[in-house]
Amino acid sequence: MIFSIIIEKLEFETIIGILPLEREKTQKILVEGIFEYESQEFLDYVVLKDMIKNLFIKNQYLLLEDAIQDIAKHLKKHFSCLKSIEMSIKKLEILQDCIVGIKTKIIF
């Protein structure tokens, strides 16, 4: 059986982006995801959430696309039971008139 852990409204500050201002000062991001896994194994959502947040803060990614690919690779390595990841990253304050971000689904 396949189950999904859902992470919603994971909001924190980190260095992310390629603009000079984005490399100097942290900005708020919002991360959300659906993580499908085989039910025979235990998937600890606290460890999952902490790993995502820590990878962002530690790696200070340039591109949102790089962040998602790297995080997916780390999660699959740590949680072999993962079957797919659907994740979005949004920059909450970079533009004044909208929120921008990306979303992708990775199937293992």
Side-chain angles (χ1 to χ4, degrees):
M1 197 173 244
I2 302 289
F3 288 95
S4 297
I5 287 182
I6 300 167
I7 295 178
E8 294 179 336
K9 299 181 183 178
L10 175 58
E11 188 175 312
F12 55 93
E13 291 194 10
T14 189
I15 300 284
I16 189 165
I18 58 174
L19 301 174
L21 176 64
E22 293 178 305
R23 302 311 301 163
E24 298 168 5
K25 183 181 167 199
T26 61
Q27 62 180 298
K28 277 188 190 177
I29 65 168
L30 177 69
V31 178
E32 298 188 309
I34 300 171
F35 306 86
E36 292 185 332
Y37 65 100
E38 292 273 357
S39 66
Q40 296 105 324
E41 296 184 45
F42 171 70
L43 183 58
D44 187 334
Y45 55 82
V46 175
V47 173
L48 179 71
K49 185 267 307 174
D50 287 344
M51 187 177 292
I52 292 168
K53 185 174 178 180
N54 291 336
L55 284 166
F56 269 103
I57 292 169
K58 176 185 167 199
N59 292 319
Q60 299 184 353
Y61 299 103
L62 292 171
L63 299 174
L64 297 175
E65 294 86 350
D66 292 342
I68 284 184
Q69 289 177 19
D70 186 59
I71 289 166
K73 179 181 76 172
H74 278 86
L75 293 179
K76 181 61 176 173
K77 183 177 178 183
H78 190 78
F79 301 106
S80 61
C81 61
L82 278 174
K83 296 299 173 194
S84 72
I85 294 172
E86 187 173 328
M87 201 161 104
S88 68
I89 307 167
K90 297 175 184 170
K91 294 182 176 185
L92 300 178
E93 300 172 332
I94 195 67
L95 300 174
Q96 294 200 1
D97 59 350
C98 67
I99 295 172
V100 296
I102 65 166
K103 180 179 178 180
T104 192
K105 183 168 186 173
I106 299 169
I107 301 170
F108 298 110

